[in-house]
Amino acid sequence: MTLPEWMSVAGENGPARPARSRHAVGSRWVRRAANGLAQLMAETLDQRTTCSLPGYLQGLDPRAKVVGLLGLVVATTLVHTGLALALAYAFAVVLALASGISVRRVGQVWLIVPLFTLAIMLPATLNIVTPGKNVGVIWQGVQGSLGPWRLPETLAITDTGIQAAVRMTGRTATCVTLTLLLAYTTRADRLFRGLRSLGMPAIFASVLTMMDRYLHVVAQAAHEIHLSKLSRTIRSGGIRQDHQWVAAGMGSLFRRTEALGGDVHRAMVSRGYRGDVHPMTDLTIRTQDGLFLVGCVGLAVMMLGLG
Amino acid sequence: MHIPDGYLGPQTYIACAAVVVPVWLVASAKLKTSLRSSQVPFLALGAAFSFVIMMFNIPIPGGTTGHAVGAVLLAILLGPWAAVIGVSLALIVQALLFGDGGVTAIGANCLTMAVIMPFTGWATYRLIAGNAPATSLRRGLAGAAGGYVGLNAAAFATGTLVGLQPMLAHDAAGRALYSPFGLSVALPAMVGEHVVLFGFVEAIATGLVLRYFQRTDPARLVPDPAALEAPRSLLKRLAIGLGILTLLSPLGLILPKAVGAGAAWGEWGSDELKDVAGYVPVELARIESTWRAPLPDYAPPDQAEPPMSRQVLTYVGSGVLGGLVLVGFILALRRPLASPDRAS
Amino acid sequence: MAIFSLENVSFAYAGYRPSLVDISLAISSGERVALLGANGSGKSTVLHLLNGLYFAQSGQVRAFGTVLTELALDTAPFGPEFRRRVGFIFQNSDAQLFCPNVVEELEFGPLQLGLAKDEIRARVEDTLNLLGISALRDRAPQTLSAGQKRLVAVASALTMAPSVLLLDEPTAGLDARSQGRLLDVLDGMSERGVTLVSTTHDLTILTQMATRSIVLSEDHRIIFDGTSETVLNDEALLTQANLMFRRPER
C-alpha cells in the first residue's frame, strides 16, 4: 500500500520545541474538569476502601449510624454556643480516629466547605453587619462616599462579629465532618438499605443504590470525553467552538447514559424483573449499635442543654 | 448554589422539606405509571447523568468558567417530573456522600434546584417554543431562555431562604443565629450574580445541547402529545393558580395588621425607619426621593392611611397589573422568535 | 424437539437500516449452536429476539411452542417461566451487573423467582465455587476486571438454573484462564442437557463452543447452517461473511 506523501514525516526525533505560537493551547479548563471527574472517581473508590477498614464505625449497623450521626448534625444546627459546637467536633474527630480515618484526610477533604463559610463570613465580622464592641478598627472618622454609597464613619471588626464568624464556621465544619464520617464508614448500598429500613420508600432506596453503582461508569465516560478533547486540542478555536464542544460532550454523554439505562433494564427483565423490589438480608441491631446510639443521644442532649 | 448546613434555621429547613416531600411522591407516582418496570434504571441513570453534568466546565468570555445545574435541560429531554427526581437524587448523593450541600439543607436545595428550577424553566421553554418544528431556532432559544429563567428563579429562592434567616431566628439582642445577611444583601447578591453571569452559563448549556439534539436526533424533541398535557390546559391551570394567589395576597396586609406587626424587617421606608431607629440617615432620604412609584406600597397614592378595603383592592390590583405586565412581556417574545416557515 | 424457531423474521431498530432480513431457523433442545458473522450482521439481534427483548416486525419467533409477543411475556405463567428457563449473558457486562456487589447480583434472579432464602444462599455458594470467584463475593462490579465481570455475569444467570443459555460474545476480552473456566462451565452445562446459543467471531475456539454453526452475511441473511467443522474448512464462505481475510503474501 502506497501512502500519500504528506502523511508521514520520518526522523522527527529532536526535542519538541515548535516556534512559539501567539495562541495558547487554551485547554486548561478542560483539564480542570477532567481532573474534577478523576477526583470524583478516586473519592468513590477511596470511600469504598475506608468502608472496609476494621474500624469502630465500620462495624456498626447503618441505621444506628444514620440516626446517631445525622441526629448530631441536626443537634449541631440547633446550638449556638462555642462549647457545644466544640464538643460535637471533638466527638467527630475521636470517631474518625477510632475508625482508621487519618487526621490528614479529615483536614484536607473536609475543610473546604468551612473555609468557604469563613470567607463568606468575613464581611459579617464588620460593624456594619454585626454591631458590637469594636476590637479592630480599620478606619475612623471618615467622611465621604464611594459612588452612590456613603462610607460608614467607622469601619471596624467587632467582637460579636468575630464570634458570629467563628460560630458559623465551626458549625459548618462540624456538620460536614459528621456527614462524611457516615459516608466514609458505610458502604452506599448498606446506607440506603438502612434508610429504607428507617422508612424511606423501597423504590427510592433501589434507585439510589443503582445510581451509586453507575455513578462511576458515567463519570468515567465523561472523563474519557474530556481526555479525547485534550488529546486533540492543538490550540483553542475560540469560545464559540469551545461551547459547541461542551454541548456535544453533554449530548453524547446523555446518549450513552440513556443507552446504558436501556441495556440495564433489559438485563433486569431478562432475569425476571417486573418492577418489584425483593429485600434479602435483614439488618440486626446489636449491643454495640445501641451503645453508640445512646452515646450520640447523650451528647445531643448535653449540647442542647448548653444551648 | 448548594446551601451548606448551618446557614438555615430549623423552621426554614423543616418547612422546605415539608414542601418537597409531597412533590417527590407525586413525581414518583407519575413516573411509575409512565415508566413501569423501567423506572428504577431510568431514574438511576438519569440521576447519575444529572450529577456528572454539573461537573462540566463551561468557559465564559473573560477567561473564567462556570458550571450548569442542567435541571431545565433534563426537564426538556425527559420531562419535568423526571427532572425533579433526577436532580433531587443527585443533590441527595452530593450532600450525603460528598458533603456538597448540607444534609439539613437537602429539602431547601431540592426545592430551589430540583423543583422551582425545572418547572419554571420548562414552563418558559414550552411557552416560548409553542408548536415550533423540532429543528427550529426558536426551540433552541426557548431552551436557552428556559435555562436562564429557571436558574434565576432558583437563585431568587435561595437568596430569599438565606436572606430570611436574620429575621426568623435571632437571639435576644437581635443578632442573627444563622446566616447573618438579610434579604437586602442575600437577595441582590444571589440574584445579581446569576442574572449577570451564571444565568448565561445555564442558558448556553441548555440551548446548545438542545441544538446538538436538533442536529443529530430531532425526533427526541417533539413532545409526545399523549404524554404531555396540551399547552392550552397548562396555561389555563397556570392562570387559575395565579388568580388564586393574587386573590390571597391581601393576607400579607391583613395578618400583620391583626397581630400588630410592623413592616417586614429591612423593608423600611424613611417613615418606618424614623420609628424604628429614631432618625433617618440623610443619604437614605435623598436616594428615596429619586423614584416615585406609581403605586407606592401597593396602596392608592396620595392618601395617608386609606381604609383596609381600598388597600386590599389596590393590593390585588397591583398583583393583576404586575402579572399582566410579565405575561405580556413573555408572550411578546414569541413574535420576534417566530420561525420563518410558520405564522406565529 | 424444537424449542426455538424463527420463521421469516425481519427486524430493524426504529428508524434505522434493517438488522435482520428474512431469517428462518430452528433450535432443538440440548444443541450447542454458534451464530457467526461480522459486526453488524445481526447475530446479537437474533439473540435478543430469542430472549424476547425485542419483537420482530415481520415473521414469528416461537419459544417452547408459544409465539413471543410483549403480551405473552407479560402474562403469567408463561412470562415468568420463560425468564426462569432462559438465561442471557450480555455483551456489555456493565449493563448486566447492576447490583452493588457480587453476592447480591447472584441473588437477584432467584429472589425474583420467589425462592426460599436458604435455597438462594445455597445456590449462590455453589455457583461462586463452581466458577472460582468466591473471593469476589463482596466486591463492587466497578472494581472487577473484564474477565471477572464476565464470570460473575455467567454466575448471575446460572443461579436461576436455566435450561437455555444465550451468550453474546462470551469470550470477547477475556484473559486465557477466565476463558478456559468459562468453556469448562459451558461444557458442564451442555452435558446436563442445557441448550447453548452463542454469538462469536472468534474462530479459534469455535469448535470448543459449538457443534452447529449458523453464519450471517453482512446483508443480514443466513448463508450457512451446518456443522462448525465445515465452516472452518470453507475459506470462500468465511471470506464472503467477512470472518476471514487473506492478505497477499509479502
Side-chain angles (χ1 to χ4, degrees):
Chain A
M1 179 175 285
T2 334
L3 300 171
E5 278 296 318
W6 56 266
M7 192 169 277
S8 59
V9 184
E12 284 183 314
N13 300 323
R17 260 206 301 263
R20 190 166 313 168
S21 162
R22 268 176 41 233
H23 304 274
V25 174
S27 57
R28 216 172 334 134
W29 57 278
V30 180
R31 189 170 288 283
R32 258 185 306 145
N35 289 342
L37 288 161
Q39 208 176 338
L40 170 70
M41 292 188 284
E43 204 171 325
T44 50
L45 290 177
D46 215 13
Q47 285 183 354
R48 280 204 79 86
T49 318
T50 53
C51 284
S52 44
L53 289 174
Y56 172 63
L57 284 176
Q58 286 88 335
L60 295 177
D61 184 283
R63 290 168 296 179
K65 281 184 281 189
V66 166
V67 174
L69 292 171
L70 296 186
L72 279 175
V73 170
V74 173
T76 309
T77 63
L78 298 174
V79 300
H80 309 287
T81 54
L83 184 57
L85 292 174
L87 268 177
Y89 191 75
F91 184 64
V93 173
V94 166
L95 284 177
L97 294 174
S99 309
I101 299 170
S102 70
V103 181
R104 215 185 75 184
R105 190 196 301 273
V106 176
Q108 261 177 350
V109 180
W110 302 1
L111 280 188
I112 295 177
V113 175
L115 280 175
F116 170 76
T117 306
L118 191 60
I120 288 192
M121 287 299 291
L122 282 176
T125 58
L126 300 171
N127 57 336
I128 45 174
V129 180
T130 319
K133 186 172 132 211
N134 296 348
V135 294
V137 175
I138 300 175
W139 70 63
Q140 236 174 344
V142 169
Q143 301 273 346
S145 27
L146 190 70
W149 294 285
R150 186 149 193 281
L151 290 175
E153 201 178 305
T154 311
L155 190 69
I157 299 179
T158 56
D159 58 347
T160 44
I162 294 179
Q163 280 169 16
V166 169
R167 192 176 59 220
M168 274 287 280
T169 311
R171 185 159 43 211
T172 318
T174 309
C175 288
V176 165
T177 310
L178 287 166
T179 309
L180 286 176
L181 270 180
L182 181 62
Y184 273 73
T185 59
T186 320
R187 237 170 46 187
D189 60 301
R190 283 178 61 80
L191 171 60
F192 299 132
R193 187 175 316 156
L195 285 174
R196 188 184 71 209
S197 191
L198 288 168
M200 186 166 78
I203 201 95
F204 277 74
S206 303
V207 176
L208 278 167
T209 309
M210 190 174 283
M211 179 206 170
D212 177 75
R213 178 321 184 211
Y214 283 108
L215 189 57
H216 197 273
V217 176
V218 178
Q220 174 85 8
H223 184 71
E224 281 166 8
I225 288 171
H226 283 76
L227 289 184
S228 86
K229 163 77 168 162
L230 277 173
S231 74
R232 275 186 299 151
T233 304
I234 294 175
R235 70 159 217 238
S236 165
I239 207 162
R240 249 195 98 170
Q241 203 188 76
D242 290 342
H243 285 165
Q244 296 291 347
W245 173 80
V246 170
M250 289 186 177
S252 76
L253 183 70
F254 182 82
R255 272 212 234 201
R256 280 168 73 166
T257 310
E258 193 188 38
L260 180 59
D263 286 343
V264 170
H265 179 232
R266 274 184 287 277
M268 294 173 85
V269 163
S270 184
R271 273 189 270 155
Y273 181 70
R274 299 165 76 89
D276 316 303
V277 185
H278 297 273
M280 176 73 177
T281 35
D282 302 310
L283 299 166
T284 42
I285 285 274
R286 297 151 303 173
T287 335
Q288 64 232 57
D289 307 314
L291 282 173
F292 175 73
L293 264 177
V294 166
C296 289
V297 170
L299 177 63
V301 167
M302 223 186 334
M303 284 164 64
L304 292 169
L306 287 168
Chain B
M1 221 189 299
H2 296 54
I3 305 172
D5 279 318
Y7 281 59
L8 301 176
Q11 309 123 300
T12 316
Y13 67 65
I14 292 175
C16 290
V19 168
V20 142
V21 168
V23 178
W24 284 340
L25 294 174
V26 170
S28 54
K30 282 200 181 281
L31 289 169
K32 189 157 185 189
T33 11
S34 62
L35 297 174
R36 294 185 300 158
S37 76
S38 66
Q39 189 186 16
V40 170
F42 177 86
L43 291 174
L45 268 315
F49 173 78
S50 177
F51 187 118
V52 172
I53 214 79
M54 294 193 210
M55 304 188 65
F56 272 67
N57 256 346
I58 301 164
I60 319 168
T64 43
T65 56
H67 296 271
V69 173
V72 179
L73 178 64
L74 219 60
I76 296 172
L77 291 173
L78 300 175
W81 298 110
V84 167
I85 301 278
V87 178
S88 294
L89 292 173
L91 292 173
I92 289 172
V93 169
Q94 283 171 346
L96 269 182
L97 299 183
F98 300 98
D100 190 5
V103 164
T104 55
I106 283 178
N109 285 322
C110 286
L111 180 61
T112 58
M113 287 181 274
V115 176
I116 291 177
M117 182 169 174
F119 274 108
T120 51
W122 180 76
T124 308
Y125 165 76
R126 295 278 288 160
L127 213 61
I128 297 179
N131 284 320
T135 48
S136 67
L137 176 64
R138 177 160 142 193
R139 242 179 227 279
L141 288 174
Y148 186 80
V149 169
L151 187 69
N152 279 299
F156 184 86
T158 309
T160 310
L161 288 173
V162 172
L164 281 175
Q165 297 313 299
M167 180 176 82
L168 290 174
H170 46 256
D171 61 14
R175 285 188 289 260
L177 292 173
Y178 298 99
S179 164
F181 302 109
L183 279 173
S184 56
V185 174
L187 209 47
M190 266 269 109
V191 176
E193 67 183 2
H194 287 86
V195 161
V196 162
L197 191 61
F198 297 119
F200 290 106
V201 174
E202 192 81 35
I204 289 167
T206 314
L208 286 181
V209 178
L210 273 191
R211 296 290 291 157
Y212 166 84
F213 279 115
Q214 281 181 322
R215 279 196 307 275
T216 56
D217 189 6
R220 184 190 286 281
L221 295 176
V222 176
D224 173 25
L228 291 171
E229 305 171 80
R232 211 138 291 208
S233 82
L234 176 70
L235 277 175
K236 201 167 99 173
R237 292 210 201 164
L238 269 175
I240 295 175
L242 274 174
I244 294 177
L245 284 174
T246 315
L247 288 172
L248 286 176
S249 60
L251 280 175
L253 277 178
I254 300 169
L255 282 177
K257 257 253 144 60
V259 299
W265 194 90
E267 278 189 27
W268 307 302
S270 54
D271 44 358
E272 288 123 350
L273 199 54
K274 195 148 177 134
D275 292 326
V276 170
Y279 74 104
V280 178
V282 167
E283 293 308 309
L284 197 142
R286 185 172 71 86
I287 292 169
E288 205 185 12
S289 58
T290 47
W291 173 257
R292 188 133 292 264
L295 283 175
D297 281 330
Y298 309 105
D302 305 324
Q303 280 212 328
E305 189 59 56
M308 180 55 85
S309 52
R310 273 205 79 177
Q311 279 192 44
V312 166
L313 225 64
T314 324
Y315 215 66
V316 171
S318 311
V320 171
L321 186 63
L324 283 175
V325 167
L326 280 172
V327 171
F329 181 67
I330 291 182
L331 282 176
L333 280 176
R334 295 182 76 169
R335 296 239 120 220
L337 292 172
S339 51
D341 43 65
R342 270 181 99 95
S344 178
Chain C
M1 202 211 82
I3 51 170
F4 283 109
S5 72
L6 269 72
E7 294 154 33
N8 303 103
V9 164
S10 295
F11 180 84
Y13 295 98
Y16 289 89
R17 287 191 300 272
S19 192
L20 288 175
V21 178
D22 199 27
I23 304 287
S24 297
L25 57 90
I27 297 175
S28 303
S29 177
E31 280 197 87
R32 288 182 78 153
V33 184
L35 293 165
L36 292 171
N39 285 334
S41 54
K43 47 192 201 297
S44 278
T45 312
V46 172
L47 280 191
H48 281 71
L49 287 171
L50 288 175
N51 200 30
L53 295 175
Y54 298 135
F55 302 98
Q57 276 101 22
S58 62
Q60 265 187 2
V61 180
R62 264 178 213 275
F64 309 108
T66 309
V67 177
L68 288 184
T69 61
E70 209 165 335
L71 181 63
L73 287 164
D74 251 351
T75 320
F78 178 74
E81 180 60 18
F82 179 84
R83 292 294 169 216
R84 186 201 66 74
R85 286 195 198 176
V86 181
F88 195 111
I89 313 299
F90 284 76
Q91 200 171 8
N92 180 5
S93 293
D94 257 334
Q96 179 144 14
L97 305 184
F98 49 77
C99 292
N101 56 61
V102 170
V103 165
E104 282 191 44
E105 198 69 63
L106 268 59
E107 287 170 350
F108 184 85
L111 277 171
Q112 302 300 317
L113 293 175
L115 298 177
K117 297 213 172 132
D118 293 326
E119 163 93 44
I120 298 179
R121 280 195 199 100
R123 287 197 185 190
V124 169
E125 285 310 311
D126 286 344
T127 314
L128 287 173
N129 290 329
L130 178 71
L131 289 160
I133 50 174
S134 297
L136 303 179
R137 64 172 60 236
D138 275 328
R139 295 273 295 273
Q142 57 262 39
T143 63
L144 300 173
S145 72
Q148 291 169 329
K149 279 190 201 170
R150 189 61 52 73
L151 290 177
V152 172
V154 172
S156 71
L158 292 181
T159 50
M160 294 177 78
S163 56
V164 177
L165 270 183
L166 306 173
L167 306 108
D168 203 350
E169 308 269 1
T171 56
L174 287 195
D175 57 278
R177 213 174 297 133
S178 303
Q179 181 175 286
R181 195 114 211 184
L182 177 60
L183 291 172
D184 283 342
V185 171
L186 294 182
D187 282 343
M189 292 295 274
S190 189
E191 271 160 44
R192 290 284 187 86
V194 170
T195 313
L196 299 176
V197 183
S198 315
T199 66
T200 185
H201 54 244
D202 187 350
L203 298 176
T204 60
I205 51 164
L206 181 60
T207 45
Q208 294 182 64
M209 287 213 3
T211 42
R212 174 182 168 199
S213 289
I214 301 174
V215 181
L216 288 159
S217 66
E218 281 178 305
D219 60 350
H220 323 293
R221 292 167 197 276
I222 295 181
I223 54 173
F224 179 85
D225 187 346
T227 66
S228 303
E229 289 284 346
T230 318
V231 169
L232 287 178
N233 292 322
D234 190 341
E235 218 175 279
L237 172 68
L238 289 174
T239 311
Q240 182 196 356
N242 200 4
L243 288 166
M244 182 186 150
F245 181 76
R246 211 176 255 299
R247 293 175 62 218
E249 296 288 322
R250 309 194 69 204

